[in-house]
Amino acid sequence: MDQYLTIALSLAFGVGVLVYATRRYTSKLMPTEKPQEARSRQRQQKKQGDREVSWESVGGYDDVKKEIREYMELPLKNRELARKYGLKPPKGILLFGPPGCGKSLMMKALASESRLNFIYVNVSDIMSKWYGESEARLKELFASARKTAPCILFFDEIDTIGTKRESHTGDSVTPRLLSLMLSEIDGLQSDDSVIIVGSTNVPQLLDKALLRAGRFDKVIFVGPPDRDARRQILKVHCSDKPLDETVDLDKIADATERYSGADLANLCQEVARRVASEALEKGERKISMDDFSQVIKRYKPSITLQMLEDYEKFRMDFERRFKGRELGDEEESRLTLNSVGGYSDIKRELYELLEMQFKYTKLMEELNVTPIRGILLYGPPGVGKTMMSRALAKSLGVKLISLSGAEVMYKGYEGAVNAIKEIFNRARENKPSIILLDELDAIASRRNSKGNETSKVVNQILTEMDGIRSLKEVVIIATTNRIKAIDPALLRPGRFDKVVHVPLPNLEERVEIFKKYLGADVCDALKCEKLAQMTEGYSGADIAAVTREAKIKLLRERIAGNSSRTLKFEDLEEAIERVRPSIRKKGGKGT
């Protein structure tokens, strides 16, 4: 009996040691404090760090800051006024845009300046390897937000748990968390006074169920700062640095297109570090404009053109407003029809035609005028067909949705069909709009009797064009320099109703193009009429190459310090000899 008792005591002692060791081990993996206490401690740390952050700390973005404050502060802080006008706070707001553009900083400024309760959630802190722990933490967050209302619950990098559910396989925790978040958001009432805010730089990965109205009611794009915003950001980060009188923040802002706010902050730090290193060896001095110029030459912006294109697609699909800052090249945003030299009759005809289409739809209905569906611009390369299409959209103030034939075919034929579906759907959602199909011959070449992969693409275009009959505010503009290669089914009335030939510029148009690239005063002094006579058969792109070649010669002389003269007629005459026309005369209209 004593032997059995000894064995039992030994087993009990072993189990006790095992339980103690397990608890010590799990205490290292999991915090001993309750999740609510841990998050309360994190909030206090955040608040301490946010005291120095204000709206003035966020340079630029006045329109975005105003929109955030109107949608979040107004209904929560002024309840009587909101009740009087029937104004309800949105359930959720999504901030999306490139990394480093101030999404989290804006929320910190809002938390610092408003008297609303603010819960900052780093999504990675929710995730746990223990089954059910992640869901419990998320439920507790929403419960805490309700208890501390009015409250803003901010999920930083929400794409961590908001990714598309079909992209996960097996028993992954992310789809379960997303479903729970959707249920919690749906369960919020306007009386709860809780607003969910999410931020992400990869919005295209988010599940569509999260983006619908009633969940994230407001989708706000926080894009790369424009010129004025860049200047204000530079002013903020240079306020505590010794700047020389030569430093011109306006010039620095001009030279930092596509720089994010984080890029500009890092730029100022790099310049300060460069000067501080020299100060150790040569003595202290102020930061000069040359220091900024040297660093900018070596610094690459973090926002790529592909990122801007992806954000623009998402913006058109989900941002629930039609007006706002355009993305992309700031120079292109100033494009007008006057930027296209020559072709006055063609520009006037197309502008009047599209103006009637977009602005006088009711009058067209009264007169029973059938709206046009498509315009085809054909002619030699380099005459400005694509530029004219973009200028028309800018001048008319309508959305331009472009798709290059070469870009589409890079995705393969199946990808091309899906891309065409996507672009027509996007145009329907963002009317009035112009669909620009550049290099149409690349995707809509002639079909043959045997059938080929190209037929699928052509058939899809035909189907989509026939399907926009009821959309009076969507027009397709296509360009090509090989009209004979395009499938004839597209050229009939009812699809491309207007086929416009854009020929090589005539004498008067060549004079106008020279004035565009040289300036009217310089052109008169250099006898541009004679230059136009010497450039018969040149396209607009060829004339641009001539002026660039002459200017480069002058630039070389000035860099070498051999001359300070201005541009002469002989410089352009020599450039004409070196730059030959790119279009052969035997090409005719259809080339």
Side-chain angles (χ1 to χ4, degrees), residues 435-446:
I435 298 176
L436 173 59
L437 296 179
D438 205 8
E439 306 171 52
L440 181 64
D441 52 278
I443 58 175
S445 57
R446 287 176 175 268

Side-chain angles (χ1 to χ4, degrees), residues 511-525:
V511 171
E512 189 174 342
I513 295 172
F514 270 112
K515 288 182 179 180
K516 174 181 176 294
Y517 288 105
L518 297 176
D521 296 337
V522 176
C523 200
D524 292 339

Side-chain angles (χ1 to χ4, degrees), residues 140-299:
E140 189 176 352
L141 279 171
F142 278 90
S144 300
R146 289 187 178 93
K147 291 177 182 178
T148 58
C151 178
I152 296 172
L153 187 57
F154 177 55
F155 289 87
D156 201 7
E157 305 296 342
I158 196 173
D159 51 274
T160 305
I161 60 175
T163 52
K164 298 176 182 178
R165 284 169 285 189
E166 60 268 21
S167 63
H168 294 275
T169 57
D171 190 22
S172 175
V173 67
T174 305
R176 300 200 306 270
L177 282 176
L178 177 57
S179 299
L180 178 60
M181 175 177 279
L182 296 177
S183 300
E184 291 287 349
I185 295 176
D186 290 340
L188 291 175
Q189 304 296 327
S190 59
D191 295 337
D192 292 335
S193 298
V194 176
I195 297 179
I196 311 301
V197 182
S199 72
T200 179
N201 52 40
V202 282
Q204 61 273 15
L205 299 182
L206 294 178
D207 195 288
K208 291 184 179 179
L210 194 63
L211 298 171
R212 74 162 175 82
R215 286 167 181 163
F216 280 118
D217 303 278
K218 192 69 178 174
V219 180
I220 301 176
F221 176 64
V222 184
D226 57 17
R227 182 186 179 280
D228 293 335
R230 291 197 297 271
R231 189 189 183 285
Q232 293 181 39
I233 294 171
L234 288 166
K235 186 178 180 180
V236 169
H237 291 288
C238 290
S239 60
D240 59 343
K241 294 178 175 57
L243 299 183
D244 189 69
E245 296 179 356
T246 59
V247 175
D248 189 341
L249 296 182
D250 290 318
K251 291 184 178 179
I252 299 174
D254 290 333
T256 52
E257 187 179 347
R258 287 194 291 113
Y259 278 57
S260 67
D263 291 335
L264 295 171
N266 194 37
L267 172 67
C268 296
Q269 284 296 313
E270 288 295 324
V271 171
R273 188 177 293 109
R274 167 192 170 94
V275 176
S277 299
E278 292 184 6
L280 291 175
E281 301 177 1
K282 304 177 181 179
E284 295 185 7
R285 66 175 178 86
K286 293 184 177 181
I287 299 173
S288 66
M289 187 66 183
D290 183 64
D291 296 318
F292 278 97
S293 300
Q294 293 299 322
V295 174
I296 290 174
K297 289 178 182 178
R298 304 193 307 267
Y299 200 93

Side-chain angles (χ1 to χ4, degrees), residues 98-99 101 223-227 230 253-261 263-264 299-309 327-330:
C101 287
D226 57 17
R227 182 186 179 280
R230 291 197 297 271
D254 290 333
T256 52
E257 187 179 347
R258 287 194 291 113
Y259 278 57
S260 67
D263 291 335
L264 295 171
Y299 200 93
K300 184 178 180 181
S302 61
I303 302 174
T304 65
L305 295 175
Q306 182 61 47
M307 291 169 61
L308 293 178
E309 184 177 343
L327 299 181
D329 190 1
E330 295 181 3

Side-chain angles (χ1 to χ4, degrees), residues 77-91:
K77 295 180 67 174
N78 303 275
R79 293 191 177 186
E80 294 184 2
L81 183 65
R83 192 180 299 111
K84 180 178 180 180
Y85 288 94
L87 186 63
K88 297 181 180 179
K91 283 189 176 181

Side-chain angles (χ1 to χ4, degrees), residues 306-349:
Q306 182 61 47
M307 291 169 61
L308 293 178
E309 184 177 343
D310 293 339
Y311 288 130
E312 180 66 15
K313 290 178 181 178
F314 182 87
R315 185 183 184 185
M316 286 191 288
D317 289 342
F318 293 102
E319 193 176 32
R320 298 175 184 96
R321 60 177 180 178
F322 294 99
K323 300 297 182 183
R325 283 197 301 128
E326 294 291 334
L327 299 181
D329 190 1
E330 295 181 3
E331 186 68 27
E332 186 175 341
S333 65
R334 297 188 289 269
L335 182 67
T336 64
L337 281 174
N338 293 329
S339 304
V340 183
Y343 305 105
S344 301
D345 294 338
I346 295 176
K347 291 188 294 186
R348 182 174 58 254
E349 180 185 7

